[in-house]
Amino acid sequence: MNPIINNIEIIKAKTTKINDVDFDNLKFGHVFSDHMLECHFKDGAWQAPKVIPYQAISLDPSAKIFHYGQSVFEGMKAYKDANEDVWLFRPIDNFKRLNISSKRLAIPELPESYFMDGLKTLLQVDNEWIPKKDGSSLYIRPFVFASGNGFHASPADEYTFIIATAPSGAYFSGKVKVLIEERYSRSANGGVGFAKAGGNYAGQFYPTQLAIEKGYQQVIWTDDNTHEYIEEAGAMNIFVRINDTLITGPTSDRILDGITRKSIIELAEAEGIPVEVRKLSVQEVVTAAKDGSLKEMFGAGTAAVISPIAGFGYKDTDYDLPESEDTYANFLKKRITDIQTNKTEDPFGWRYKVE
């Protein structure tokens, strides 16, 4: 009989790969743990999830994921503190957002117990895969895709939910230089920009590659209609500091309701940092760069937490940001990561202990 934890059946891997992993030199998302959670939707209902050995997926060539792109995902991290307790950061928010994304793509929503109990069980089974080194974590990728077959352009009748994990080091190192996009759009009104749909990211790759060829690392996305307003930075939400005020755009059909974004806003307000959630024009940022009131810009997301921006390009002109160690980016990143890794008190109730 296979063991059962949290009502989840566990099929253990016959061998482990962990002894072949250099935990002191981890790349982001390149090494995968021994197990994964798998759950199937068929006959109109989600079936019981199982923890199984990490393995390849077999799909029919007519599986609708290949043809109509029904796929959504989340990004999370698990941390191990000095006492080897395991912590998650706002996991219920990830669960809720996965279902918001699923609903927009006509994918059946998951029961909360399948997501949370499945995730906790997987982390208990692969506990030794959670890195202890500062700056490292176990990256968690829950995702759902259309596994039902057929060439007809309609929602699938079967879906697969998987949680896979990867012990990882830092996502970015150092500051990045970005290009403000004047032609391409990440998303549009009435579209799926607010969802974590795989196609959103596929559509970013080509414009980003064009920016890389010009010497930049990422793109700052602007609104789809006029390209006058700043919206996101690469695959992250964006924050701009003008004088002492931190500014970020409001969420919409086009902008992802980032969990790190929400945390930064709450934390900054609690620390007395002036925060404005409003439309921010490219011209306002350029003017601030010219008159010296633009102090910093940074991206915010699960993988990197906060990624400082060293400078930006716009209309064939480059603008450098001032260098300083005394930045909101450094302060807020340390506060968030200290909460995530149980190094400080959590007055917001964000931290979730895996037991």
Side-chain angles (χ1 to χ4, degrees):
M1 292 285 291
N2 294 319
I4 294 177
I5 300 176
N6 299 322
N7 296 316
I8 308 292
E9 182 181 357
I10 300 165
I11 302 171
K12 294 291 291 289
K14 293 181 180 178
T15 59
T16 180
K17 303 167 290 187
I18 199 166
N19 297 322
D20 299 325
V21 177
D22 181 0
F23 279 85
D24 291 324
N25 295 287
L26 289 168
K27 293 182 180 180
F28 185 87
H30 278 254
V31 176
F32 304 99
S33 312
D34 283 331
H35 299 87
M36 65 187 195
L37 182 84
E38 186 178 61
C39 182
H40 296 281
F41 180 92
K42 60 182 180 180
D43 300 325
W46 284 104
Q47 310 299 304
K50 295 181 181 180
V51 171
I52 64 173
Y54 184 89
Q55 58 192 267
I57 301 168
S58 177
L59 290 171
D60 192 280
S62 71
K64 291 200 173 184
I65 177 56
F66 299 134
H67 308 281
Y68 304 114
Q70 275 186 290
S71 174
V72 297
F73 71 96
E74 277 296 320
M76 310 170 65
K77 289 180 179 178
Y79 307 86
K80 189 172 282 187
D81 66 17
N83 297 319
E84 302 219 351
D85 289 327
V86 177
W87 301 91
L88 296 168
F89 186 72
R90 306 185 72 165
I92 298 298
D93 287 346
N94 288 103
F95 161 71
K96 290 178 179 178
R97 192 172 62 183
L98 184 72
N99 273 347
I100 289 170
S101 299
S102 293
K103 185 175 182 179
R104 179 61 181 83
L105 271 74
I107 296 172
E109 297 175 45
L110 274 161
E112 181 177 326
S113 61
Y114 283 23
F115 184 96
M116 289 303 300
D117 291 345
L119 176 56
K120 288 188 290 184
T121 304
L122 179 62
L123 293 177
Q124 289 166 346
V125 171
D126 277 345
N127 178 280
E128 293 303 312
W129 283 88
I130 304 172
K132 305 179 185 71
K133 183 179 178 181
D134 262 4
S136 297
S137 60
L138 185 72
Y139 185 76
I140 301 166
R141 174 55 60 88
F143 59 103
V144 188
F145 62 91
S147 47
N149 302 332
F151 291 146
H152 187 265
S154 61
D157 57 0
E158 295 186 5
Y159 297 86
T160 300
F161 168 56
I162 288 174
I163 303 179
T165 64
S168 297
Y171 188 65
F172 288 125
S173 59
K175 295 184 178 182
V176 297
K177 188 178 176 184
V178 298
L179 178 67
I180 295 180
E181 183 55 56
E182 301 176 58
R183 176 184 176 187
Y184 296 99
S185 298
R186 176 186 174 274
S187 58
N189 287 331
V192 296
F194 69 92
K196 283 191 74 72
N200 288 344
Y201 298 81
Q204 293 183 30
F205 294 155
Y206 176 67
T208 302
Q209 186 58 46
L210 294 179
I212 290 170
E213 290 170 2
K214 294 178 181 179
Y216 303 91
Q217 286 82 48
Q218 276 293 351
V219 166
I220 289 184
W221 300 104
T222 51
D223 69 285
D224 64 304
N225 186 26
T226 65
H227 295 288
E228 292 178 5
Y229 295 95
I230 282 175
E231 297 202 330
E232 293 201 345
M236 309 174 79
N237 295 119
I238 186 168
F239 286 81
V240 176
R241 176 184 175 184
I242 297 178
N243 290 319
D244 290 333
T245 300
L246 200 57
I247 307 167
T248 192
T251 55
S252 67
D253 286 350
R254 304 184 306 276
I255 298 178
L256 184 73
D257 187 12
I259 293 165
T260 306
R261 172 189 176 276
K262 291 191 290 189
S263 304
I264 288 171
I265 292 170
E266 288 184 61
L267 181 57
E269 290 175 338
E271 294 289 345
I273 296 172
V275 178
E276 294 180 2
V277 179
R278 63 171 174 82
K279 293 175 72 172
L280 177 63
S281 71
V282 176
Q283 192 54 55
E284 185 178 354
V285 174
V286 170
T287 299
K290 289 178 178 178
D291 67 22
S293 60
L294 179 63
K295 304 302 183 184
E296 56 182 306
M297 301 168 65
F298 56 85
T302 297
V305 184
I306 288 177
S307 179
I309 294 171
F312 67 90
Y314 181 63
K315 291 191 180 298
D316 299 319
T317 301
D318 283 344
Y319 300 88
D320 293 325
L321 276 76
E323 291 190 17
S324 172
E325 291 301 314
D326 185 23
T327 63
Y328 287 169
N330 289 342
F331 172 74
L332 293 168
K333 182 172 184 176
K334 185 176 190 306
R335 288 285 284 113
I336 289 175
T337 55
D338 281 353
I339 291 172
Q340 290 172 330
T341 54
N342 196 32
K343 292 179 180 176
T344 189
E345 293 299 314
D346 174 17
F348 306 97
W350 292 336
R351 199 163 50 218
Y352 181 98
K353 189 174 183 179
V354 177
E355 298 181 289

